[in-house]
Every structure is written in C-alpha cells, then in structure tokens.
Amino acid sequence: MGLQIWRLDAALGATVSNIDLSRPLDAGAVAAVRAAWLEHIVLVFPDQDLTDRQLLDFTRYFGELEFPPSKLLNYSQGSGQKADIPLEINVISNVIEDGKKIGQLGASEAKWHTDTPFVERPPSASVLHALEIPPHGGNTSFMNMYAVLEGLPPPLRARIEGRYCKHDVSHTSDGVLRHDYDESKDASECPGPLHPLIRTHPETGREALYLGKRAWAFIEGLPLAESEAVLDEIWDIATRPEFLYEHVWTQGDIVMWDNRCAMHRREAFDASARRIMHRSQLQGDVPA
Ligand code: SIN
C-alpha cells in the first residue's frame, strides 16, 4: 500500500502516513508529498525516526537547503549550536547543557510569525522534527494565509493592496533583541527588508497575505499610527480560530509547512521540561 494523505479537520493541514522518511523516496512519493504540501500547506508525518542527515536528505527532495537565521545573519557570537550538528539544522530548544543553551526560542511563547521574513529571500519551507517534547504545552499552531486574505473585508484589503510591509530583523519571534542590533525608537525605524503584504505564491499562483510578525511591523508609506491601526485590524481577523490548525506534538512527528502561505505560533511550556526540535529549511524566492 502506498502513502496515505488525510485532510485534517481544520483550516489547513493533512496527515501523511504509510511512509518512512528515513529511506530514499521514489519519484511518485516525492510528487505526491509535494502536491499535498502545496494543497494542504502543513503536512504531519507521524512516528518518524530520522538522523539529522536523513532529515536534510528528505528536505532536499523539495529544493535547495537554506541555513538557519543565525548563519544567514552571520551572528558575531555564533548560534551556540553544538559542533556535531549540521550547519543547515536549526535547533529549537529550551535545554541548557553545561551552562550553555543548545538551541533557540527557549520555553516562552514564540508569537505568530513567518520563518525568516527579515531577509530578501525568505525560506519557502520549514521541516520540524520533534525529538523530545514536554508532557504539556509547546503546541504549535498554523495559520492559512490564503484563507485570511480571502476573509479580509474588501475595504480593509483595499488599504493594503499594492503596499509593502517592513520586516524587522532586529528582534526574534520571541521578542528578544538580537545580538548585533540596537533597539529602534519605533517600528518605522527598524532595520529590515520590505515585502509585499499580498504576495502571489510562485507555485500555486494563489494570492496570500504575508505578515511576518506583529511586533515592530510597519506598512511603508503610512503614518505610524495608521500603520499600527491597519495591522491591528488585520491581526484581529487573522487569529480567528476559523483560519487555524493547532498541532499537539508526539515525539517522532515531522511537520513540514509552506512558509509562503502559512504563519505559526508556539505556545509556552514549563521551562523545567525538555523540548528539542530540529528544523531544516528550503531556500525561497523574493516575495512578489
Ligand atoms: C519555529 O518557530 O519554527 C518553532 C516552532 C516550534 O517550536 O514548535
């Protein structure tokens, strides 16, 4: 029996079963996964047991590997990641070993965000492998950005049509000021690239809303107060449950999402529990 794909009872997402991602995939399986990823935006592969190299091999079926933000931004202090972990792997973890953090994002909430929108060519996909999960909390929710755009009232959509948003590079998605950056006076002054608020997905041809993150976002060309008001109005709509899927992790899950038309949020969890996830990324296009 070949792989099976089951749509989740949510605004996005599907489960893919009867597939072992640690083994080479044939062309038919790769095509089926790609088609499902483009259609469902988020794919859940339960019960996978992969090394980092196998995770990277699986990711490579869908494009060129991208480096994590610490490497893309060339952090002067490095990422702190252990030397035996491939450079393309982004360790997301709250664990501290020998007094050093082994990964990023800690145990607090990682607020709604797109991965790495603060570069000219943000990644097209992220693939997250759950190696250790806490007994409670740390769920990851996903947002369908095609559906959010379709759900905007026409007058609100008209206010952002053709406009660009500044994607602040100086703060992480858990709100921490990155090494090597200074705090800005307000969102209009933050460093970061401009991307269109409405982008066309290069593979599906569908339009999606592209928000990045709420904090420090700025709609270029508007007075700051107006930009804040428009963004608040959009975010109130975007975070409605009708646009979301919440993933409750089981160890061994692999979740792959389309970063061009999804955002995600990781809820907080008990900092004394261990959570270790390894993430790979695919290179993307300049949003257009
Ligand atoms: C991420 O933002 O990529 C991490 C999500 C998670 O920790 O579940």
Side-chain angles (χ1 to χ4, degrees), residues 90 92 105 110 113 115 126 128 138-140 173 249 257 264-266 275 277 279:
N90 192 4
I92 311 286
L105 292 184
H113 64 282
D115 281 332
S126 298
L128 194 58
N139 297 349
T140 306
S173 49
W249 292 94
W257 63 89
H264 56 285
R265 161 192 180 264
R266 200 274 317 280
R275 187 176 189 273
M277 323 286 275
R279 196 181 85 190

Side-chain angles (χ1 to χ4, degrees), residues 182-209:
D182 296 324
E183 201 63 89
S184 300
K185 185 166 69 58
D186 63 50
S188 69
E189 304 219 321
C190 281
L194 295 172
H195 295 306
L197 272 157
I198 300 175
R199 66 180 293 186
T200 303
H201 192 294
E203 293 186 76
T204 66
R206 298 180 64 192
E207 286 186 320
L209 190 63

Side-chain angles (χ1 to χ4, degrees), residues 226-281:
E226 190 179 342
S227 163
E228 292 287 312
V230 171
L231 288 170
D232 282 345
E233 216 179 315
I234 291 174
W235 277 88
D236 277 351
I237 294 169
T239 46
R240 287 181 189 158
E242 71 213 56
F243 299 121
L244 311 182
Y245 161 64
E246 180 174 6
H247 186 66
V248 181
W249 292 94
T250 299
Q251 189 194 339
D253 283 349
I254 285 189
V255 175
M256 169 179 183
W257 63 89
D258 190 331
N259 198 44
R260 299 162 291 191
C261 53
M263 291 204 301
H264 56 285
R265 161 192 180 264
R266 200 274 317 280
E267 69 174 0
F269 57 96
D270 176 1
S272 66
R274 287 169 64 92
R275 187 176 189 273
I276 305 181
M277 323 286 275
H278 282 193
R279 196 181 85 190
S280 56
Q281 304 76 209

Side-chain angles (χ1 to χ4, degrees), residues 10 40 72 81 86 116 125 224:
H40 299 288
L72 286 179
Q81 216 155 277
T116 327
L224 180 60

